[in-house]
Amino acid sequence: MFEEAETGNEMKMPAKETMDADWWRGAVIYQIYPRSFKDTNGDGIGDLNGVTEKMDYIASLGVDAIWLSPFFTSPMADFGYDISDYEDVDPMFGTLADFDRMLAAAHERGLKVIIDLVISHTSDRHPWFEESRSSKDNAKADWFVWADAKPDGTPPTNWLSIFGGSAWEWDSRRCQYYMHNFLASQPDLNFHNRQVQDAVLSAAKFWLERGVDGFRLDTVNFYFHDQLLRDNPPLDTSEMPSTVDPTNPYGYQDHLYDKTRPENLVFLERLRSLLDRYPGTTSVGEIGADGQAVELTASYTEEGRRIHMAYSFDLLTPQHSAGYVRRILEEMNEGIGSGWASWALSNHDVKRVASRWGEGLDLTKFAPLETALCASLRGTPCLYQGEELGLPQADVPFEKLQDPYGIRFWPEYKGRDGCRTPMPWVRDNANAGFSEAEPWLPVAPQHLAQAVSEQESDGTSPLNRNRAFYAWRQNHRPLKKGDMTFLDSDGETLVFTRTYKGETVLCAFNLGTSPATVSLPGLELENLKAPGFTGRIEGTAISLEGLDAVFARVKS
């Protein structure tokens, strides 16, 4: 079990003389969804050995770290986000020895490894829950969120599951309801119980001792619930933020009592204390709190106190005008205080940005532009597998769907499978070089022309333009750690500066398809000639073609 205080006999990991403890600030994180990355054992499902096999490819991208979605032992009701053993690898992904080899391969290439820590809930097949549901007086009876029914037998509160329906499931063994924010097979842990906190911190320590460089914290603001079990009030539908899915009734509540509770801050301080015992480790939290992203990012990532960085869904929406992006960034920069944000335009839960923002556009131009934009914002950028190729969302037919979320809300919402289809490695292969067997999700036919094999030899491909940009970015520190200030510009242009230790880099993007000119009186600029972009500096003005950018050193 996790021990809070160090004893005289406990070995503390030594700090490395050359270690940059703040390496994570502005580092490019490459998210890998292992099920869909590379299959090496012929079962149609990607595995850890597949990640190891492709480590040279990952390193060639110029990223700094990888984030692995869950690979722990699980019945896979939610594809690994329902964990039944926090300290082992599910056989479909390999073994602990396979993980160790993968970790070593990454470290040999200078890559950090961040793993998903899913601790707001477990699988209903986790031994903790099996014991908890067995009676009302067992040793783990209070490890999950249990409550009696109302006198009429209905659930104790009006709380809803993100995956549809009530957040309460009746259990005939205990004759009580248990809480689940997601699937009924994902019961929520009771973080008000100190033993639960100790247990999940012990699991984190297991992986830190193994050498991981940090954690991505799934649903980091969902850990605590209101002990008084108060109903959530309704949310005025006219005030629904852009991140809310209108097809899901979950968005009709103001989630005051089922998540984002103040007690969470104290637990995050305990987690940070553990991480600080392993120099150079980091944490990035997923904040699911519509309308509170700035406030929570500021409090959750307050420097030195809680987690290192956090991301919200504010740039994972259909909204993508220059005005919208500027508003989101300015609000975050003005309100974050000493904290640090992380930004993603795609991940395993949302429609790919090439389709969400780039529909109808030339993806050979759009894809390198959006990745460069994300990597130029103040914060730490995340690149989702396939985003470097400019992959659009796949259309998975209903009969092939695997995602319970999509199956529940079909056809208005098709779920998350369309962004989780197999990585296309080779064009002239039935399964795109992903597997020798039929993949767990079908390969998207439209992805074959964008396979790695097709883009490798084309110097102007999204893949090679992204590689060149990330390599160029490594030499410009303001783009990693600098402050950010927007300059006024018209139309679909975004212009801002990043300043770090007296060095200022100006970044200008044209998100539209028509040429644009931006006047910048009083600035003396030197074109830094970022690879792949053709924007020109003409005196005190910048000229941009459609879907183009320019980066310049500000000399005065």
Side-chain angles (χ1 to χ4, degrees):
M1 193 59 68
F2 176 76
E3 296 291 338
E4 183 83 46
E6 295 178 24
T7 67
N9 296 324
E10 184 173 4
M11 181 177 293
K12 189 173 182 179
M13 290 190 64
K16 299 177 182 177
E17 292 182 4
T18 59
M19 179 181 293
D20 175 10
D22 279 352
W23 65 266
W24 48 272
R25 289 187 188 270
V28 179
I29 300 174
Y30 185 66
Q31 183 195 352
I32 295 174
Y33 194 69
R35 294 180 68 91
S36 300
F37 197 63
K38 182 67 171 72
D39 171 29
T40 61
N41 64 1
D43 64 357
I45 298 172
D47 44 51
L48 292 176
N49 286 335
V51 178
T52 304
E53 181 181 302
K54 295 297 183 180
M55 199 65 74
D56 283 336
Y57 168 82
I58 299 166
S60 79
L61 297 176
V63 300
D64 303 288
I66 62 175
W67 150 29
L68 290 171
S69 290
F71 51 82
F72 311 103
T73 308
S74 166
M76 299 295 162
D78 192 22
F79 307 106
Y81 283 90
D82 51 321
I83 295 171
S84 56
D85 188 341
Y86 282 106
E87 298 182 4
D88 204 356
V89 174
D90 194 277
M92 74 167 52
F93 294 122
T95 64
L96 280 170
D98 293 333
F99 175 84
D100 292 340
R101 282 191 291 272
M102 183 279 303
L103 184 67
H107 286 167
E108 287 167 5
R109 291 159 177 81
L111 294 169
K112 306 288 188 181
V113 176
I114 297 168
I115 66 173
D116 239 311
L117 192 63
V118 187
I119 55 176
S120 69
H121 54 265
T122 71
S123 165
D124 60 357
R125 300 187 194 177
H126 196 294
W128 298 346
F129 186 71
E130 290 178 341
E131 182 175 353
S132 184
R133 78 189 318 180
S134 66
S135 68
K136 294 181 180 179
D137 57 1
N138 64 80
K140 292 183 173 59
D142 194 35
W143 276 44
F144 293 82
V145 184
W146 294 96
D148 292 330
K150 290 181 178 179
D152 63 357
T154 55
T157 72
N158 69 347
W159 301 348
L160 297 174
S161 162
I162 289 177
F163 286 176
S166 173
W168 296 97
E169 181 76 3
W170 180 254
D171 184 79
S172 58
R173 296 174 182 85
R174 287 185 49 148
C175 291
Q176 285 183 304
Y177 283 97
Y178 66 84
M179 179 185 173
H180 59 93
N181 271 301
F182 299 93
L183 295 175
S185 58
Q186 294 171 295
D188 274 54
L189 284 161
N190 178 18
F191 272 76
H192 292 286
N193 185 328
R194 181 84 172 195
Q195 290 180 320
V196 169
Q197 295 185 30
D198 290 346
V200 296
L201 290 173
S202 179
K205 183 178 179 182
F206 173 86
W207 293 102
L208 291 168
E209 289 287 338
R210 217 163 190 94
V212 302
D213 301 291
F215 301 109
R216 181 263 188 183
L217 301 165
D218 186 63
T219 59
V220 70
N221 59 308
F222 281 65
Y223 297 164
F224 284 82
H225 68 287
D226 174 47
Q227 287 185 293
L228 298 179
L229 299 182
R230 287 171 283 188
D231 282 348
N232 286 327
L235 185 67
D236 185 338
T237 56
S238 66
E239 298 178 355
M240 282 189 181
S242 59
T243 52
V244 167
D245 175 8
T247 68
N248 189 338
Y250 185 84
Y252 288 78
Q253 290 187 357
D254 187 359
H255 294 274
L256 295 180
Y257 300 117
D258 53 350
K259 63 181 181 181
T260 320
R261 303 300 299 160
E263 299 94 331
N264 206 28
L265 296 175
V266 179
F267 170 73
L268 293 180
E269 290 172 2
R270 293 194 70 199
L271 175 60
R272 179 58 180 263
S273 178
L274 171 64
L275 287 164
D276 285 347
R277 288 158 54 187
Y278 296 81
T281 58
T282 193
S283 52
V284 53
E286 175 198 33
I287 291 178
D290 300 309
Q292 294 180 284
V294 174
E295 175 188 347
L296 291 185
T297 303
S299 61
Y300 279 34
T301 68
E302 184 178 344
E303 187 169 9
R305 294 195 64 189
R306 301 179 184 108
I307 61 176
H308 298 75
M309 50 187 162
Y311 75 89
S312 67
F313 287 78
D314 285 338
L315 293 184
L316 293 167
T317 65
Q319 288 80 0
H320 64 280
S321 68
Y324 174 81
V325 173
R326 175 172 176 171
R327 177 175 67 80
I328 293 300
L329 268 294
E330 285 192 318
E331 289 176 355
M332 183 64 74
N333 291 339
E334 291 170 4
I336 198 171
S338 64
W340 192 256
S342 178
W343 298 105
L345 303 184
S346 285
N347 69 16
H348 64 293
D349 282 332
V350 300
K351 189 175 185 179
R352 284 186 176 273
V353 69
S355 295
R356 203 176 68 251
W357 288 12
E359 185 175 10
L361 301 180
D362 181 349
L363 293 184
T364 63
K365 294 181 178 180
F366 171 79
L369 183 75
E370 59 91 3
T371 50
L373 172 62
C374 189
S376 300
L377 306 178
R378 184 178 188 270
T380 294
C382 288
L383 179 73
Y384 179 50
Q385 68 180 49
E387 195 176 356
E388 74 274 20
L389 304 176
L391 297 185
Q393 184 83 348
D395 186 14
V396 180
F398 181 78
E399 62 272 16
K400 295 284 188 178
L401 283 186
Q402 303 292 324
D403 181 17
Y405 197 1
I407 293 170
R408 177 70 182 265
F409 287 101
W410 177 276
E412 285 74 21
Y413 174 65
K414 297 183 179 180
R416 301 165 294 179
D417 288 337
C419 62
R420 298 176 174 183
T421 55
M423 182 80 170
W425 297 103
V426 180
R427 178 173 187 170
D428 299 324
N429 182 287
N431 297 323
F434 165 74
S435 176
E436 295 180 359
E438 180 180 357
W440 74 286
L441 280 174
V443 172
Q446 68 267 40
H447 288 179
L448 294 177
Q450 296 167 275
V452 172
S453 65
E454 297 302 295
Q455 297 200 31
E456 285 278 13
S457 59
D458 180 358
T460 65
S461 68
L463 172 60
N464 283 317
R465 284 188 61 184
N466 278 315
R467 283 172 168 161
F469 181 81
Y470 289 140
W472 172 87
R473 180 181 179 272
Q474 291 286 1
N475 297 317
H476 297 283
R477 294 183 302 169
L479 295 181
K480 293 185 175 183
K481 300 184 179 183
D483 293 332
M484 184 179 186
T485 302
F486 275 92
L487 305 179
D488 288 337
S489 61
D490 296 327
E492 285 303 296
T493 59
L494 283 172
V495 182
F496 53 85
T497 58
R498 301 289 309 278
T499 301
Y500 183 71
K501 293 187 175 180
E503 182 182 356
T504 298
V505 172
L506 181 136
C507 312
F509 294 85
N510 183 6
L511 306 185
T513 56
S514 300
T517 300
V518 180
S519 179
L520 298 168
L523 290 184
E524 184 179 354
L525 304 173
E526 175 190 353
N527 196 331
L528 292 174
K529 298 179 180 179
F533 296 108
T534 62
R536 302 181 306 280
I537 297 172
E538 300 169 344
T540 59
I542 288 174
S543 294
L544 296 165
E545 297 299 320
L547 302 178
D548 198 9
V550 67
F551 296 80
R553 178 177 290 109
V554 179
K555 300 172 68 175
S556 65

